[in-house]
Amino acid sequence: MDFIWVLFAFTCGAAARVVNLPPLIGYLIAGFLLHFIGMESGNNLQALSDLGITLMLFTIGLKLNIKDLLKTEVWAGTSVHMILWTAILSLLIWLSVILGLYYFSSLSWQLIAVIAFALSFSSTVCIVKILEESGELRTRHGKLAVGILVMQDIIAVLFMVVATGILPSLWSIALVGLIFLRPVLTRLLTKMGHGELLPLMGFFLALGGYELFYLVDLKGDLGALLMGVLLSNHKKTTELYKSLMSFKDLFLIGFFLSIGFTALPTLEMAVIAAAITLLLPIKAVLFFMLFMALKLRVRTAFLASMVLSNFSEFGLIVTALCVELNWLDKEWLVILALAVSFSFVFTSVVYRSAHTLYRRWKKVLCRFESPRKRKPGFRLPAEIEVLVIGMGRVGKGTYTALCDQVGDKVLGMDADEDRINRLKKEGYQVAFGDGEDADLWESLNLSNIKLVLIALPYIRDIQNIQEQLRSANYTGKVAAIARYEDQIELLKECGIDRIFNFYNEAGVGFAKESLLLIEKPNP
């Protein structure tokens, strides 16, 4: 039976990839197909799904800065959006009740409000996966979206306490003491080396945090998140994060498959779910207008709104609880499961074109931006001739090597503001900026720049940056890194002047440096 799950997941995921769609869409379809042919999910699939979500929240915590949650746009944006969306959707559902539409006629105003509230949440699983795949988890709009998701999780915990009447144990107060564990955990992380003990420690902390919170009647997922937060900003956090990525992505396939096992839909249910999904643009516009009212940059507001425009798996939890309490008919669980699935497809497909859509609608969108709002960008010193985009491990090494050859003519740029601040303290000549930001390139004078090196791991990011440079009338040379052979042709097609195969170039450099050890000096 487990092989059947793998077979369907791989086949449908591969089919989605072939037609240039995200694999998660294929996994959703696989779940419904497995259910349709009479398969049952069983405990193994549910355990796989739960483990994937727990690891995902732990890895979010590793990248999370608590200060981001205290920003007005996060807590105010979350709470106000929930209130307005719940009110708007409740009104639309009430109109359906008045019209006597099928499945709606028996709904009371309390149940209408519960359904609307359940659909106000956005999917942590779907959004984080999209942001990771696009390399935007640490950008401003990425951090804003993650902050909103964490605040929604906190509200979800409060709702479940009220709905079930189960209060946290008095022992939950003792969890405050976890703060004092941070020095011990960071020292232990340093000692774990680079082998299998590193991801194993990640599993231990993620699952340990889950079980600890569960024991005191709190949501276990929040425990995994908090354990990640305790290790954030440590020098080995990035390595730990990367060591868990493959495990997390593999286990999350179980989550997408499990949605299809919720129940089998009828045509009427599918139509209602599709109609609910058509309301997602309203959800996105509502987020956008709130972010604009909170004085955010228009690009940040637009991209965050686009990625937040979906429904959450939490809606299924709320609906299942209502069905269990005999408040709702079980058909509503199927309808919302379909709506959640459709919303994942919507966001996954639409967000792929988010940067293109922003460039196309920029003039219209900028009308909503405050004229006093600081525009992006920085002053580009006249002596700078080489720009390195992406200051991760590869970019940092590239920057250092270039400085040895051309001195102070090099500037590093990265979309991770925390990384930039840290590098500035270490003496690097760097600036904060997102290479995919059309507004940024418009604000920079690139006439003296002779070479741009894009040291980023995601090919879609490189393609977008190249398109931005072309739009900004940049006339210099562009070099980029390809990790795989099939990426080289794609980068050539978008006009990159020099493409370095990551592993081949590392081998060439290693060989050259090593030969210096045996070369005889000239007499």
Side-chain angles (χ1 to χ4, degrees):
M1 186 176 291
D2 292 348
F3 171 73
I4 297 296
W5 297 342
V6 174
L7 173 64
F8 273 69
F10 173 75
T11 303
C12 294
R17 173 67 74 187
V18 168
V19 296
N20 203 28
L21 290 174
L24 72 85
I25 295 175
Y27 306 147
L28 289 169
I29 295 172
F32 282 107
L33 288 176
L34 285 167
H35 193 179
F36 178 76
I37 65 174
M39 301 292 294
E40 295 182 359
S41 62
N43 294 329
N44 290 340
L45 185 61
Q46 190 58 50
L48 196 69
S49 172
D50 292 342
L51 184 55
I53 294 173
T54 300
L55 281 178
M56 182 197 67
L57 287 165
F58 177 73
T59 55
I60 289 175
L62 292 175
K63 297 285 186 177
L64 188 63
N65 190 331
I66 295 298
K67 292 186 295 183
D68 293 335
L69 300 181
L70 302 178
K71 293 179 179 178
T72 305
E73 56 264 28
V74 173
W75 62 264
T78 303
S79 54
V80 175
H81 183 274
M82 278 188 164
I83 293 170
L84 293 178
W85 168 264
T86 302
I88 292 171
L89 188 57
S90 295
L91 179 60
L92 293 174
I93 296 176
W94 182 251
L95 291 175
S96 301
V97 172
I98 294 175
L99 293 173
L101 297 181
Y102 197 48
Y103 293 123
F104 288 90
S105 57
S106 61
L107 294 179
S108 64
W109 67 267
Q110 293 98 331
L111 290 178
I112 291 173
V114 169
I115 293 173
F117 173 73
L119 292 173
S120 69
F121 290 79
S122 300
S123 172
T124 302
V125 178
C126 180
I127 293 170
V128 169
K129 191 164 182 62
I130 290 172
L131 290 173
E132 283 179 342
E133 289 179 351
S134 59
E136 298 175 7
L137 201 57
R138 299 292 289 172
T139 61
R140 277 184 172 170
H141 64 273
K143 290 194 286 188
L144 172 60
V146 170
I148 296 283
L149 293 171
V150 173
M151 288 301 298
Q152 287 182 349
D153 279 345
I154 294 172
I155 294 173
V157 170
L158 297 175
F159 173 82
M160 295 302 288
V161 168
V162 174
T164 61
I166 301 175
L167 294 174
S169 166
L170 286 176
W171 286 102
S172 61
I173 301 173
L175 293 175
V176 177
L178 288 174
I179 298 173
F180 302 105
L181 272 180
R182 176 178 164 81
V184 178
L185 294 176
T186 53
R187 191 173 302 139
L188 185 62
L189 181 60
T190 304
K191 298 291 185 181
M192 288 302 99
H194 309 285
E196 69 279 359
L197 275 177
L198 190 63
L200 186 58
M201 181 179 175
F203 273 83
F204 166 71
L205 291 177
L207 296 175
Y210 183 100
E211 292 297 334
L212 189 61
F213 271 57
Y214 182 77
L215 284 173
V216 294
D217 298 323
L218 283 172
K219 192 178 180 185
D221 292 337
L222 280 181
L225 178 72
L226 180 60
M227 282 297 185
V229 171
L230 288 176
L231 293 176
S232 62
N233 297 321
H234 187 269
K235 60 183 179 181
K236 289 196 70 173
T237 294
T238 300
E239 186 180 352
L240 176 60
Y241 178 89
K242 290 181 178 179
S243 72
L244 293 171
M245 281 287 289
S246 297
F247 293 107
K248 173 183 67 68
D249 290 341
L250 183 62
F251 294 151
L252 280 178
I253 293 174
F255 165 78
F256 295 112
L257 288 175
S258 64
I259 289 180
F261 283 98
T262 304
L264 286 175
T266 63
L267 179 59
E268 292 84 356
M269 294 176 187
V271 170
I272 294 173
I276 293 174
T277 307
L278 291 176
L279 300 176
L280 285 175
I282 298 176
K283 190 174 189 179
V285 169
L286 196 55
F287 266 123
F288 178 78
M289 298 308 295
L290 280 172
F291 293 149
M292 286 289 89
L294 292 167
K295 309 299 182 185
L296 292 179
R297 271 192 59 212
V298 64
R299 179 178 179 271
T300 302
F302 177 77
L303 293 178
S305 301
M306 290 283 284
V307 79
L308 287 165
S309 60
N310 51 46
F311 301 131
S312 171
E313 56 280 1
F314 176 71
L316 303 182
I317 297 173
V318 173
T319 309
L321 178 63
C322 293
V323 171
E324 185 179 338
L325 296 173
N326 293 319
W327 294 352
L328 270 178
D329 295 331
K330 63 180 181 180
E331 286 80 6
W332 273 102
L333 185 58
V334 187
I335 292 171
L336 263 66
L338 283 172
V340 169
S341 302
F342 293 164
S343 74
F344 287 179
V345 176
F346 175 85
T347 306
S348 299
V349 173
V350 173
Y351 192 76
R352 292 166 72 92
S353 304
H355 295 279
T356 303
L357 293 173
Y358 174 73
R359 288 195 300 271
R360 186 180 302 165
W361 299 341
K362 180 182 172 184
K363 291 183 179 179
V364 175
L365 294 170
C366 285
R367 296 175 185 173
F368 297 96
E369 191 172 42
S370 170
R372 296 183 180 180
K373 183 64 188 174
R374 179 177 63 86
K375 292 295 180 183
F378 46 86
R379 190 184 67 82
L380 197 59
E383 68 273 13
I384 297 299
E385 296 181 357
V386 182
L387 186 61
V388 179
I389 302 176
M391 290 297 290
R393 288 182 295 180
V394 176
K396 189 176 176 181
T398 303
Y399 171 93
T400 303
L402 287 167
C403 285
D404 291 339
Q405 298 181 48
V406 298
D408 295 334
K409 296 181 180 181
V410 186
L411 179 74
M413 188 177 83
D414 199 280
D416 186 341
E417 196 166 10
D418 295 332
R419 175 182 288 167
I420 288 297
N421 292 334
R422 186 167 59 251
L423 291 174
K424 282 182 178 179
K425 291 179 182 178
E426 296 175 8
Y428 288 80
Q429 186 173 224
V430 291
F432 169 67
D434 187 346
E436 297 182 76
D437 189 348
D439 301 334
L440 170 68
W441 295 114
E442 288 183 4
S443 69
L444 296 178
N445 180 6
L446 301 175
S447 57
N448 292 332
I449 301 296
K450 298 178 180 179
L451 176 63
V452 173
L453 295 98
I454 308 176
L456 296 174
Y458 300 101
I459 188 168
R460 196 188 312 165
D461 292 347
I462 299 173
Q463 291 170 324
N464 284 336
I465 291 172
Q466 171 65 2
E467 191 172 342
Q468 301 289 2
L469 289 170
R470 191 184 297 116
S471 299
N473 298 317
Y474 170 67
T475 56
K477 300 295 184 179
V478 180
I481 294 171
R483 292 180 178 270
Y484 306 102
E485 289 291 337
D486 60 331
Q487 294 178 340
I488 294 176
E489 285 302 317
L490 294 174
L491 293 177
K492 284 181 179 179
E493 290 174 5
C494 70
I496 302 293
D497 298 293
R498 180 71 166 88
I499 303 161
F500 294 84
N501 184 297
F502 183 79
Y503 299 106
N504 285 349
E505 296 297 332
V508 171
F510 180 51
K512 287 182 178 179
E513 291 295 325
S514 300
L515 284 173
L516 293 176
L517 296 173
I518 60 174
E519 285 183 355
K520 296 180 180 180
N522 293 325

